[in-house]
Amino acid sequence: TDDWHTKMCFMGVIWNRLYKCSSGADKGTLYQLRNLIQRRNVVSDPSRNMNAGEDFFTTVVEAHVLAAAMSVFKMSSVDDTPTSVLFTEDCFALSKEDRMTILQLEVGNVIDRYVQLDVILVAIMKPCLL
């Protein structure tokens, strides 16, 4: 049950910061995205329907991660072949281990470009630790 309470606290902090019913016209906000993809079971208090809120938030985060990776790899659709200094046509002929190394380096590039984990974790978890 500790995990459930921690998850509920985490979702509550995210909702307090990012989910505003007044932001329905603001592109990219959680409330606008909720309406766009018709997740009517996602409500302003995530504890009222944790499963719906968690599933929705996971979907939003996965979409943002995919969009970030596609931007870094210069892909206009998910069917495109990624391009970068390390992702070359030759890399597909490399061993599985070498391809995994390239993938890990490139994922690191995406994270370095878009994510400041230390700032995010402190901002999100501070209220839960008080």
Side-chain angles (χ1 to χ4, degrees), residues 15-84:
W15 255 236
N16 284 338
R17 292 180 179 260
L18 302 176
Y19 189 96
K20 306 285 185 244
C21 294
S22 60
S23 67
D26 299 331
K27 280 191 172 186
T29 63
L30 286 181
Y31 191 71
Q32 184 267 337
L33 293 170
R34 169 223 184 241
N35 292 336
L36 180 69
I37 63 174
Q38 299 181 12
R39 294 288 185 96
R40 305 288 184 235
N41 59 346
V42 175
V43 294
S44 60
D45 178 2
S47 67
R48 288 185 28 221
N49 193 340
M50 278 292 296
N51 291 334
E54 181 182 11
D55 182 60
F56 168 67
F57 187 68
T58 299
T59 298
V60 170
V61 170
E62 288 174 352
H64 280 87
V65 169
L66 181 59
M70 289 176 64
S71 175
V72 169
F73 301 139
K74 300 171 184 67
M75 298 170 64
S76 59
S77 81
V78 293
D79 296 322
D80 284 349
T81 301
T83 57
S84 72

Side-chain angles (χ1 to χ4, degrees), residues 2 6 47 49 60 62 81 91 95 98 102 114-115 124 129:
D2 286 342
T6 302
S47 67
N49 193 340
V60 170
E62 288 174 352
T81 301
C91 80
S95 69
D98 288 344
I102 289 171
Y114 288 100
V115 180
I124 289 176
L129 301 174

